[in-house]
Amino acid sequence: MKHNILILFIQLLHTTRLGSSTISKQLLSSPVGPYQLVIRQVYNCNPTKNNTIQHYTYISHRANTTWLLGNSTLEAPLDDTLFLEIKLAVKDSLGNWKENVLSHKIPNACTSIKRLLGSVWTVYMNGSGSKNTKCPILPGIYTYPGIDTSIFKDSNLPKTFFYGTFKFYVYYTRKNEIYGCQVFIIETKKHP
């Protein structure tokens, strides 16, 4: 999985150099380093479509902590026959989104997510209402008792990244068919 993260980072650098010069200048001149991850918003990409994997999650703030709450409905298993596709948008200095700055497709969706979350996988799964901590994640309705987003600092997410505001589109796909989609709007800031 660390190999996939390295590919994402290299592809991000490559794409920004070839993409919009405004975005390229902004990202390439932006400081890169250890960051504090702030999740600003989470939502379903296409709630009106009847995808087989639906996440209805949202952010809640309690006692200076950010929590992911909501529920997920899986009509099909989230397994390794699916691909995990990530598309990245960047918020520019004027507050506009530059879409499709990065696009990356990773096979074995369930195992890839498990590797990305690393040591926090079990905490994440329990916080999303699943007692199963192995792949595949079986069909069912999962109600989140809550996930403290501070757990992500202990995951296998990159430890350094560009500072800024990003929109990550996360898709589950198979043969170019979308099984589910979720958007995470995050901000990466220097540690205080």
Side-chain angles (χ1 to χ4, degrees):
M1 189 60 182
K2 290 185 183 196
H3 176 69
N4 285 336
I5 294 169
L6 178 62
I7 290 171
L8 272 170
F9 184 72
I10 291 169
Q11 190 174 6
L12 175 64
L13 288 174
H14 178 69
T15 305
T16 55
R17 285 192 179 123
L18 297 177
S20 161
S21 62
T22 304
I23 296 299
S24 297
K25 287 177 187 173
Q26 178 190 349
L27 271 181
L28 296 177
S29 66
S30 293
V32 176
Y35 60 92
Q36 175 184 359
L37 177 68
V38 179
I39 300 176
R40 296 286 179 205
Q41 190 176 3
V42 181
Y43 59 91
N44 190 323
C45 295
N46 45 12
T48 59
K49 291 193 177 180
N50 196 16
N51 289 330
T52 56
I53 299 173
Q54 297 277 350
H55 298 292
Y56 299 101
T57 52
Y58 60 93
I59 298 296
S60 177
H61 301 280
R62 296 187 263 177
N64 295 326
T65 306
T66 304
W67 290 80
L68 278 175
L69 300 169
N71 64 72
S72 295
T73 301
L74 281 65
E75 295 175 8
L78 197 163
D79 60 20
D80 284 343
T81 65
L82 297 171
F83 283 82
L84 184 65
E85 291 191 43
I86 300 169
K87 293 183 181 181
L88 176 69
V90 178
K91 191 177 244 185
D92 67 20
S93 58
L94 299 174
N96 299 315
W97 288 107
K98 170 65 177 171
E99 298 289 338
N100 298 318
V101 170
L102 165 76
S103 180
H104 190 66
K105 188 173 185 176
I106 306 166
N108 305 318
C110 188
T111 301
S112 294
I113 294 168
K114 186 174 181 176
R115 280 193 204 122
L116 184 62
L117 291 175
S119 64
V120 301
W121 166 259
T122 300
V123 175
Y124 181 86
M125 290 306 295
N126 291 333
S128 62
S130 176
K131 302 298 179 227
N132 176 29
T133 58
K134 296 181 181 176
C135 288
I137 301 168
L138 301 174
I141 298 172
Y142 300 94
T143 302
Y144 293 37
I147 301 167
D148 179 347
T149 62
S150 69
I151 68 166
F152 295 121
K153 72 180 180 312
D154 296 323
S155 71
N156 290 333
L157 290 171
K159 301 304 178 200
T160 59
F161 202 72
F162 293 102
Y163 299 129
T165 304
F166 305 92
K167 188 187 302 183
F168 284 89
Y169 296 86
V170 179
Y171 297 90
Y172 309 113
T173 64
R174 184 184 307 133
K175 296 181 182 175
N176 296 322
E177 180 183 346
I178 296 174
Y179 280 67
C181 177
Q182 195 169 24
V183 176
F184 295 85
I185 298 177
I186 66 160
E187 184 179 350
T188 52
K189 318 193 282 193
K190 281 187 178 181
H191 281 286

